[in-house]
Amino acid sequence: MRNIFIIARRDLRAQFNSPVAYVVIGGTLLLLGVLLFLIPHIGVGGASVGGFWEIDRATMDQMFLYLPPLLSLFVIPAVTMRSLASEKGSGTLELLITMPVRDSEVILGKYLASCAMVFVLLSLTLLYPLAMFKWPWHLGALDWGPVWSGYVGCVFFSFAAVGIGMMLSSLTESDVIAFFLTAGTLFFLYAIGGIVSFASANGPWAVLSDGLAFVSFQTRYQAFARGIIDTRAIVYFLSVATLCLLVSFRSLESRKWS
């Protein structure tokens, strides 16, 4: 465990020693604020239900509508793209794996560092509900149950998404390619939730909807956004993360065979 935390601390420090961390955190918070306070929310059926100021009730539901796509398209690809791909491309990975550490410790250390980076961002988004409903404004009595369940969903969603990013980063030596591969894969896994809704509403496609719902990140996450802790979704996200870390380990280990 000591080696894992040393590698995690090294990677996390490297993230904050570069402008990437500040651009990702600052840009995401700014974009989330714009989407939350300035963009009308589109409800079921494509009808606009108004923006944050027009809903006329104390809720942060819209924030948890926007957080998973932002994590998928911007945050997690940017955080994980350099975890293995950049080190492979620069040759520093070979130096790291020749040190007295196991390949599994390298993978887990880098995974923990990426997760910690995402959790820092998620923690900072808590400023929005605190500012709106605690201080300096008090717009109403916010039900914090759905807020905390939404954050639980984002955490487990991030576990799986970071695992996918790590896996794809281990398969290439270009951090740019790793970024787009991760963004594309996570976008697909989240966007198929819309296909599930369409298929389930059309009888002939109902069988297809069951298969897509099983792998859809959006479908798995929806219960958390509604204030429900879904243990099946937690098991699914943790299973995806574990599988992806195993593939990353095998990818890293295969470099010793070549």
Side-chain angles (χ1 to χ4, degrees):
M1 291 298 294
R2 180 173 176 272
N3 289 336
I4 292 174
F5 286 120
I6 289 174
I7 294 171
R9 188 166 59 247
R10 163 190 174 271
D11 265 43
L12 192 59
R13 186 184 301 117
Q15 292 269 17
F16 282 99
N17 284 340
S18 72
V20 174
Y22 304 99
V23 170
V24 169
I25 291 174
T28 304
L29 290 175
L30 177 61
L31 185 55
L32 179 62
V34 170
L35 292 171
L36 182 59
F37 298 114
L38 300 180
I39 305 298
H41 169 49
I42 304 300
V44 178
S48 175
V49 297
F52 178 84
W53 306 107
E54 301 167 311
I55 294 178
D56 198 28
R57 60 189 175 93
T59 178
M60 293 301 296
D61 290 351
Q62 291 187 56
M63 186 174 78
F64 295 104
L65 173 71
Y66 295 126
L67 265 177
L70 288 176
L71 291 172
S72 299
L73 291 175
F74 180 49
V75 177
I76 291 174
V79 168
T80 60
M81 67 178 183
R82 302 180 64 187
S83 56
L84 290 170
S86 181
E87 296 215 38
K88 287 169 66 175
S90 63
T92 56
L93 184 61
E94 281 74 8
L95 177 63
L96 180 61
I97 61 179
T98 57
M99 294 180 177
V101 293
R102 300 185 182 93
D103 290 352
S104 58
E105 293 172 340
V106 173
I107 295 296
L108 289 175
K110 289 180 171 294
Y111 177 76
L112 288 180
S114 297
C115 286
M117 179 71 178
V118 176
F119 297 160
V120 168
L121 171 63
L122 289 176
S123 299
L124 290 174
T125 63
L126 189 58
L127 293 173
Y128 284 121
L130 289 175
M132 293 295 104
F133 299 100
K134 288 294 184 181
W135 186 88
W137 298 282
H138 187 73
L139 301 182
L142 178 64
D143 182 3
W144 285 90
V147 174
W148 297 127
S149 69
Y151 275 115
V152 170
C154 286
V155 166
F156 284 100
F157 180 98
S158 299
F159 282 151
V162 169
I164 291 173
M166 286 279 298
M167 178 185 68
L168 295 174
S169 181
S170 72
L171 300 177
T172 180
E173 296 185 357
S174 169
D175 49 3
V176 176
I177 293 176
F179 177 92
F180 286 107
L181 282 175
T182 303
T185 302
L186 294 179
F187 174 75
F188 171 76
L189 289 173
Y190 192 80
I192 58 176
I195 303 176
V196 172
S197 301
F198 169 79
S200 59
N202 293 270
W205 299 97
V207 176
L208 176 63
S209 71
D210 293 337
L212 292 177
F214 182 80
V215 299
S216 169
F217 277 26
Q218 182 181 13
T219 304
R220 298 283 184 175
Y221 171 79
Q222 281 175 347
F224 296 99
R226 294 195 300 266
I228 302 170
I229 304 295
D230 187 351
T231 54
R232 292 174 299 177
I234 290 175
V235 171
Y236 172 74
F237 286 135
L238 291 178
S239 300
V240 170
T242 302
L243 177 62
C244 291
L245 290 178
L246 288 174
V247 174
S248 302
F249 170 73
R250 289 302 179 188
S251 175
L252 183 62
E253 193 178 44
S254 67
R255 294 177 66 82
K256 298 178 180 179
W257 307 337
S258 57

